[in-house]
Amino acid sequence: MKVLVWNEYRHEQENQVVSDIYPEGIHGAIAGFLKEEGHDVKTAILDEEEHGLTDEVLAETDVLVWWGHKAHDEVKDEIAEKVKQRVLEGMGLVVLHSAHFSKVFKKLMGTTCDLKWREADEKERLWVVEPSHPITEGLGEYIELEKEEMYGEHFDIPAPDELLFVSWFEGGEVFRSGATFRRGRGKIFYFRPGHETYPTYHNQEIQKVIQNGVKWVKNEGTPKHVYGNAKPLETISEK
Amino acid sequence: MKVLVWNEYRHEQENQVVSDIYPEGIHGAIAGFLKEEGHDVKTAILDEEEHGLTDEVLAETDVLVWWGHKAHDEVKDEIAEKVKQRVLEGMGLVVLHSAHFSKVFKKLMGTTCDLKWREADEKERLWVVEPSHPITEGLGEYIELEKEEMYGEHFDIPAPDELLFVSWFEGGEVFRSGATFRRGRGKIFYFRPGHETYPTYHNQEIQKVIQNGVKWVKNEGTPKHVYGNAKPLETISEK
Amino acid sequence: MKVLVWNEYRHEQENQVVSDIYPEGIHGAIAGFLKEEGHDVKTAILDEEEHGLTDEVLAETDVLVWWGHKAHDEVKDEIAEKVKQRVLEGMGLVVLHSAHFSKVFKKLMGTTCDLKWREADEKERLWVVEPSHPITEGLGEYIELEKEEMYGEHFDIPAPDELLFVSWFEGGEVFRSGATFRRGRGKIFYFRPGHETYPTYHNQEIQKVIQNGVKWVKNEGTPKHVYGNAKPLETISEK
Amino acid sequence: MKVLVWNEYRHEQENQVVSDIYPEGIHGAIAGFLKEEGHDVKTAILDEEEHGLTDEVLAETDVLVWWGHKAHDEVKDEIAEKVKQRVLEGMGLVVLHSAHFSKVFKKLMGTTCDLKWREADEKERLWVVEPSHPITEGLGEYIELEKEEMYGEHFDIPAPDELLFVSWFEGGEVFRSGATFRRGRGKIFYFRPGHETYPTYHNQEIQKVIQNGVKWVKNEGTPKHVYGNAKPLETISEK
């Protein structure tokens, strides 16, 4: 499976705290534990030409993992649109943390994707609410993160096709923190954790969820649809 | 309830067959049977200034009914975006027939909204598959239309929140022809029938469904959401 | 609308704490604030003949509200089955708190309906996650209850048709605390709060949700379905 | 993967037409093409002791495939209940054709599972409506069956978690003919075709769907849930 990990890669270059946690970038950390699964993993970042998302790259990508935060606006509209179209054609998409506000995710959802947030070093506990789903494989009843950014409801997304995790936050909020969406021939998994100032992507349970998610969003459906003007399959009576 | 019926209003001006069926336009016909319900009903058309969809008009509209077909591209992007935002803020939306391809609906769905189609004077039978839903109130088991345009699967929409009708077509196809979607604070009802060359909107059962749909999409939820940076509701421990 | 409030009515007779909070029983308290809505409200309890759920009573009930806890097993199987059938035929059902374990709810869900629980005088905060739904009408972003019993995930129910509330608990758990389900022609609303030793049903926001829920579960769909052997509607070719 | 194919096995013994089509029984035919997938496949029939569904057999079954029709009532209640419990614990279940009326499926759904039907040698065309789903892998846009029994809406099931196929019938009806349901830790796939007097299970596309379905319902979720009285994970304040 060909996986592309896309990262904005700005915090790591501007903030020592972040680069200490992720010396090879958030994309490097994620690519690392995805390679362990035997996938063919590449990375791309915002500041590459065409953000590293050329037609050739997208055409050969089975699953795209997306992390972005402070520079969503710098992603060119035509490239966001191209990525969206590839998802509709069947490329899997894993959307992480603050990528809830990426152009690609907002275009696919059709809603504002807004939420409450707070940076206060608070505890998050992600409860599994759908224990029969492959994305939850290998987990216990919940994942506990000592310190994370808070995201709180209302999370302005369409009702997910499948709700997998609900988070509890120390400060009093809850959040639908793991959810799947089918759009066109593409499958999408949104997973909340991963604020840049915490070592969340070094947590083995978080890694397991993302590994599972990458496998799950890989397209395995029907090879093609036909749209447009269609000849009748049965005789239509004269009226 | 304040209802606005929006129509492209081109076929009626260019095709005698259509204007004979709908002498006051498709919008006039729909407005007529919605007024019978006691609503405050207005109409707007594409060729009005700002397509008749000024901020003032949208602000005071509870439910918008949309019919469009051949001139989707002429709807200005900024107006389509404005209408979408009003839906997310709570304005109800009833999307009729070929408006599956309207900019507003495609933006809200995030998919291509593509489908198969055929104009062949063929029979359609809309089966009720969710008999507990208010939009089906007053109907029998199905609605039969002697002649309609065919729309066939695959219909490239997100899985509906509620699937209400499935159509059978004489030529051998099926279609998810009545479906609801919640987006933001807005409720959306897509209803398939209504090709301009057939008297579909004069059919009393079709009128009943649209009347029910207009009532159902009217917002009755919570008055507001708060997004953005949030103070903790509970004490967060030092770590 | 004819509403029947059914209560086990045992805690109130055995525990002074409970009878001090609900001197007319939990059913009396609930019936009280439902009457304010103008409904025709009756009550029934476990120890009545046939638990007060005769064929005549059920036949004329539009919406049944159910509270039970310690005596689920004393509800006769044939009566639980009869109530379930009436729901499938179109009677609305509001299932409160520990009635998650009632025979009627378990039969309708098909799952164990099991959960985590704890009595520890802890705070519950019910967050609205579906702000466009009529059951949330009149609320703010959340309801806060100073002391309640905890119910925690995993809650073993089918994925709800609509998820309306998610609860945060002081002790670290979350719970899908408001959810709707359509079964047959019947609509069902499960709402979590209401432990007998707390004055939860005197809380005006909780009352508002139950009032809204009773209105929402009232059947307004199609009048009948036909099942069984069916004549063809179209000519079937010889093969 | 350990698969058990269960069959009523009555039609084959009583009707020459059926035994000519399925000389090794419907279970034999299904087991045959499942073995090609490399699974460890066993069969069981109604007339075996405990219907071949002992605790030992169920405990070691990953996926159960069920075909039944005229003798649903002869399946003992306690065994149907036991099978249901195993599904809730994680055993996958593929429910074929007239098994919509099996005790196991009805218990899991909570509804009547009733439908319209007709035996008239009519054409069925199963349209794929969810092209991103693994169960549709390897198919084209639809499967055509020259002769099948008709099943028509309303099909009295809960709204499926995922709707995969919708059938068109020559006589004018439609049917939700492929659908998934999650219950407890178990996954369920209902697939409509397979009337005993037609060679449907010899059709390669039908075989492909059942092969895909067996793989999909195999449990891969979290290993366990804990229910009941739970200690707090956080300190609860005195009030």
Side-chain angles (χ1 to χ4, degrees):
Chain A
M1 193 195 312
K2 296 188 176 181
V3 182
L4 182 67
V5 181
W6 192 91
N7 182 15
E8 191 178 279
Y9 196 44
R10 288 284 170 83
H11 291 290
E12 297 93 326
Q13 296 183 306
E14 298 167 9
N15 183 339
Q16 181 77 33
V17 173
V18 182
S19 60
D20 283 354
I21 298 172
Y22 298 114
E24 299 178 74
I26 287 174
H27 54 296
I30 293 171
F33 64 77
L34 290 177
K35 281 174 187 162
E36 291 171 15
E37 297 277 289
H39 307 312
D40 175 0
V41 184
K42 293 193 169 62
T43 62
I45 60 169
L46 178 63
D47 290 330
E48 291 176 41
E49 184 119 9
E50 295 188 49
H51 315 319
L53 299 167
T54 61
D55 290 353
E56 296 70 34
V57 166
L58 287 173
E60 63 179 17
T61 298
D62 293 315
V63 173
L64 177 65
V65 179
W66 193 280
W67 197 100
H69 184 207
K70 61 189 294 187
H72 294 312
D73 285 350
E74 295 181 41
V75 175
K76 287 175 198 154
D77 283 342
E78 62 270 25
I79 291 180
E81 184 63 28
K82 211 168 56 175
V83 173
K84 174 192 158 183
Q85 291 303 330
R86 265 292 288 145
V87 172
L88 297 182
E89 288 163 13
M91 181 177 70
L93 181 68
V94 174
V95 178
L96 294 175
H97 189 60
S98 41
H100 74 92
F101 249 8
S102 62
K103 288 182 179 177
V104 171
F105 189 61
K106 289 198 291 186
K107 277 172 179 283
L108 284 162
M109 294 296 103
T111 56
T112 68
C113 300
D114 213 341
L115 46 76
K116 286 186 169 58
W117 59 271
R118 177 173 61 236
E119 294 185 44
D121 290 353
E122 68 193 282
K123 191 186 289 183
E124 175 177 14
R125 189 175 288 113
L126 297 103
W127 288 92
V128 174
V129 299
E130 185 46 271
S132 73
H133 201 284
I135 291 180
T136 70
E137 190 267 318
L139 303 178
E141 293 200 290
Y142 58 82
I143 300 171
E144 195 169 300
L145 299 170
E146 192 57 20
K147 293 182 187 180
E148 252 292 351
E149 185 182 5
M150 184 282 291
Y151 279 8
E153 296 284 345
H154 176 246
F155 185 17
D156 185 26
I157 49 170
D161 291 342
E162 299 165 316
L163 179 62
L164 308 185
F165 297 96
V166 172
S167 282
W168 176 98
F169 285 97
E170 200 178 349
E173 287 86 357
V174 297
F175 195 72
R176 288 170 292 170
S177 50
T180 72
F181 306 88
R182 296 172 183 276
R183 292 297 183 271
R185 296 185 63 237
K187 298 200 280 183
I188 302 164
F189 173 48
Y190 175 78
F191 191 48
R192 198 213 75 82
H195 190 60
E196 65 274 5
T197 60
Y198 306 115
T200 300
Y201 296 124
H202 297 311
N203 178 301
Q204 291 200 349
E205 289 175 303
I206 297 297
Q207 293 179 0
K208 181 68 179 161
V209 173
I210 297 172
Q211 289 167 339
N212 289 344
V214 162
K215 274 183 278 189
W216 186 84
V217 299
K218 169 75 166 60
N219 186 281
E220 302 167 291
T222 47
K224 58 164 185 165
H225 337 216
V226 180
Y227 297 112
N229 202 340
K231 286 183 191 160
L233 300 159
E234 305 290 328
T235 307
I236 295 169
S237 65
E238 290 286 326
K239 292 184 189 75
Chain B
M1 193 195 313
K2 295 187 177 181
V3 182
L4 182 67
V5 181
W6 191 92
N7 183 14
E8 192 177 278
Y9 197 43
R10 289 283 170 83
H11 291 289
E12 297 92 327
Q13 296 182 306
E14 298 166 10
N15 184 338
Q16 180 77 32
V17 172
V18 182
S19 60
D20 282 354
I21 299 172
Y22 297 114
E24 298 177 74
I26 286 174
H27 53 294
I30 293 172
F33 63 78
L34 291 178
K35 281 175 188 162
E36 292 170 14
E37 297 277 288
H39 307 312
D40 175 359
V41 185
K42 292 193 168 63
T43 63
I45 60 170
L46 178 63
D47 289 331
E48 290 176 40
E49 184 118 9
E50 295 188 50
H51 315 319
L53 299 166
T54 62
D55 290 353
E56 297 70 34
V57 165
L58 287 173
E60 63 179 17
T61 298
D62 294 314
V63 173
L64 177 64
V65 180
W66 192 281
W67 197 100
H69 184 208
K70 61 189 293 186
H72 293 313
D73 285 349
E74 296 181 42
V75 175
K76 287 175 199 156
D77 283 342
E78 63 269 25
I79 291 180
E81 185 62 28
K82 211 168 56 175
V83 172
K84 174 192 158 183
Q85 291 302 330
R86 265 293 289 146
V87 172
L88 297 181
E89 288 164 14
M91 181 177 70
L93 181 68
V94 174
V95 177
L96 293 175
H97 188 60
S98 42
H100 74 92
F101 249 7
S102 62
K103 288 182 178 177
V104 172
F105 188 61
K106 289 197 291 185
K107 277 171 180 284
L108 283 162
M109 295 296 104
T111 56
T112 67
C113 300
D114 212 342
L115 45 77
K116 285 185 170 58
W117 59 271
R118 178 174 58 236
E119 296 184 43
D121 290 353
E122 69 193 282
K123 190 185 287 183
E124 175 177 14
R125 188 176 289 113
L126 297 103
W127 287 92
V128 174
V129 299
E130 184 46 270
S132 73
H133 201 284
I135 291 180
T136 69
E137 190 266 318
L139 303 178
E141 294 201 289
Y142 58 82
I143 300 171
E144 196 169 299
L145 299 170
E146 192 58 19
K147 293 183 188 180
E148 253 291 352
E149 185 182 4
M150 184 281 292
Y151 278 9
E153 296 283 346
H154 176 245
F155 184 17
D156 185 26
I157 49 170
D161 292 341
E162 298 164 317
L163 179 61
L164 308 184
F165 296 95
V166 172
S167 283
W168 177 97
F169 285 97
E170 199 178 349
E173 285 86 358
V174 297
F175 195 73
R176 289 170 290 170
S177 50
T180 72
F181 306 88
R182 298 171 181 277
R183 292 297 183 270
R185 297 185 64 237
K187 297 200 281 183
I188 302 164
F189 173 48
Y190 175 77
F191 191 49
R192 200 212 74 82
H195 190 61
E196 66 273 7
T197 59
Y198 305 115
T200 301
Y201 296 125
H202 296 311
N203 177 301
Q204 290 200 349
E205 288 174 303
I206 296 297
Q207 292 179 0
K208 180 67 178 162
V209 173
I210 296 171
Q211 288 167 339
N212 289 345
V214 162
K215 275 185 276 189
W216 186 83
V217 299
K218 170 76 166 60
N219 186 279
E220 301 167 292
T222 47
K224 58 163 185 166
H225 336 216
V226 179
Y227 297 112
N229 202 342
K231 286 185 190 160
L233 300 159
E234 306 290 327
T235 307
I236 294 169
S237 66
E238 290 285 328
K239 292 185 189 73
Chain C
M1 195 195 311
K2 295 187 176 181
V3 181
L4 182 68
V5 181
W6 191 91
N7 183 15
E8 193 177 276
Y9 196 44
R10 289 282 171 84
H11 291 289
E12 297 93 327
Q13 296 183 306
E14 298 167 9
N15 183 338
Q16 181 76 34
V17 173
V18 181
S19 60
D20 282 355
I21 298 172
Y22 298 114
E24 299 177 74
I26 286 174
H27 53 294
I30 292 171
F33 63 78
L34 290 178
K35 281 174 188 164
E36 292 171 14
E37 297 276 289
H39 307 311
D40 175 358
V41 184
K42 292 193 169 62
T43 62
I45 60 169
L46 178 64
D47 289 330
E48 291 176 41
E49 184 118 11
E50 296 188 48
H51 315 319
L53 299 166
T54 60
D55 291 352
E56 296 70 34
V57 165
L58 287 174
E60 64 179 16
T61 298
D62 293 315
V63 174
L64 177 64
V65 180
W66 193 281
W67 196 100
H69 184 209
K70 61 189 295 186
H72 293 313
D73 285 349
E74 295 182 41
V75 175
K76 288 175 199 154
D77 283 341
E78 62 269 25
I79 291 180
E81 185 63 28
K82 210 167 58 174
V83 173
K84 174 191 158 183
Q85 292 303 331
R86 265 292 289 147
V87 172
L88 297 182
E89 288 163 14
M91 181 178 69
L93 181 68
V94 174
V95 177
L96 293 175
H97 190 60
S98 40
H100 73 92
F101 250 7
S102 61
K103 289 182 179 178
V104 171
F105 189 60
K106 289 197 291 186
K107 277 171 179 283
L108 284 162
M109 295 296 104
T111 56
T112 68
C113 300
D114 213 341
L115 46 76
K116 286 185 170 57
W117 59 271
R118 178 173 59 236
E119 295 185 43
D121 290 354
E122 68 193 283
K123 190 186 289 183
E124 175 177 14
R125 189 176 289 112
L126 297 103
W127 287 93
V128 174
V129 299
E130 185 46 271
S132 74
H133 201 284
I135 291 180
T136 70
E137 191 266 318
L139 303 178
E141 294 201 289
Y142 58 82
I143 300 171
E144 196 169 299
L145 299 170
E146 193 57 20
K147 294 182 187 180
E148 252 292 350
E149 185 181 4
M150 185 281 293
Y151 278 8
E153 295 284 345
H154 175 247
F155 185 17
D156 185 26
I157 49 170
D161 291 341
E162 299 165 317
L163 178 62
L164 308 185
F165 296 95
V166 172
S167 281
W168 176 98
F169 286 97
E170 201 178 349
E173 286 86 358
V174 298
F175 196 73
R176 289 170 291 169
S177 50
T180 72
F181 306 88
R182 297 171 182 276
R183 291 298 183 269
R185 296 184 64 236
K187 297 201 281 184
I188 302 164
F189 173 48
Y190 175 78
F191 191 49
R192 199 212 75 82
H195 190 61
E196 65 273 6
T197 60
Y198 305 116
T200 300
Y201 296 124
H202 297 311
N203 178 301
Q204 290 200 349
E205 289 174 302
I206 297 297
Q207 292 179 0
K208 180 67 178 164
V209 173
I210 297 172
Q211 288 168 339
N212 289 345
V214 162
K215 274 184 277 188
W216 187 83
V217 299
K218 168 78 165 59
N219 186 280
E220 301 168 291
T222 48
K224 56 161 187 169
H225 337 215
V226 180
Y227 297 112
N229 201 341
K231 287 184 191 160
L233 300 159
E234 305 290 327
T235 307
I236 295 169
S237 64
E238 291 285 327
K239 293 186 189 74
Chain D
M1 193 195 311
K2 295 187 177 181
V3 182
L4 182 67
V5 181
W6 191 92
N7 183 15
E8 193 178 276
Y9 197 44
R10 290 281 171 86
H11 291 290
E12 297 92 327
Q13 297 183 305
E14 298 168 9
N15 183 338
Q16 181 78 32
V17 172
V18 181
S19 61
D20 282 354
I21 298 172
Y22 298 114
E24 298 178 74
I26 286 174
H27 54 295
I30 293 171
F33 62 78
L34 290 178
K35 281 174 187 162
E36 292 171 14
E37 297 276 289
H39 307 310
D40 175 359
V41 184
K42 292 193 169 63
T43 62
I45 59 169
L46 178 63
D47 289 330
E48 290 176 41
E49 184 117 10
E50 296 188 49
H51 315 320
L53 298 166
T54 61
D55 290 353
E56 297 69 34
V57 166
L58 286 173
E60 64 179 16
T61 298
D62 294 314
V63 173
L64 177 65
V65 179
W66 193 281
W67 197 100
H69 184 208
K70 61 189 294 186
H72 293 313
D73 285 350
E74 295 182 42
V75 175
K76 287 176 199 153
D77 282 342
E78 62 270 24
I79 291 180
E81 185 61 29
K82 210 168 58 175
V83 172
K84 173 192 158 184
Q85 291 302 329
R86 265 293 289 146
V87 172
L88 297 181
E89 287 163 14
M91 180 178 70
L93 181 68
V94 175
V95 177
L96 293 175
H97 188 59
S98 41
H100 73 92
F101 249 7
S102 62
K103 288 182 179 177
V104 171
F105 189 60
K106 288 196 291 186
K107 277 170 179 284
L108 283 161
M109 295 296 104
T111 55
T112 67
C113 301
D114 213 342
L115 46 76
K116 286 185 169 59
W117 58 271
R118 177 173 59 236
E119 295 185 43
D121 290 353
E122 70 193 280
K123 190 185 288 182
E124 175 178 14
R125 188 176 288 114
L126 296 103
W127 287 92
V128 173
V129 299
E130 184 47 271
S132 73
H133 201 284
I135 291 180
T136 70
E137 190 267 319
L139 303 179
E141 294 200 290
Y142 58 82
I143 300 171
E144 196 169 299
L145 299 169
E146 191 58 19
K147 293 183 187 180
E148 253 291 352
E149 185 182 4
M150 184 281 293
Y151 278 9
E153 296 283 347
H154 175 246
F155 185 18
D156 185 26
I157 48 171
D161 291 342
E162 298 164 318
L163 179 61
L164 308 185
F165 296 94
V166 172
S167 282
W168 177 98
F169 286 97
E170 200 178 349
E173 285 86 358
V174 297
F175 195 72
R176 288 170 291 168
S177 49
T180 72
F181 306 88
R182 297 171 182 277
R183 293 297 184 270
R185 296 185 64 238
K187 298 200 281 183
I188 302 164
F189 173 48
Y190 175 77
F191 191 48
R192 198 212 76 81
H195 190 60
E196 66 273 7
T197 59
Y198 306 115
T200 301
Y201 296 124
H202 297 311
N203 177 301
Q204 291 200 349
E205 289 174 303
I206 297 297
Q207 292 179 359
K208 181 67 178 161
V209 173
I210 296 171
Q211 288 168 340
N212 290 344
V214 162
K215 275 184 277 188
W216 186 84
V217 299
K218 169 76 167 59
N219 186 279
E220 301 168 292
T222 47
K224 57 160 188 169
H225 337 214
V226 181
Y227 297 111
N229 202 341
K231 286 183 192 162
L233 301 160
E234 306 290 328
T235 308
I236 295 169
S237 65
E238 291 284 327
K239 293 185 189 76

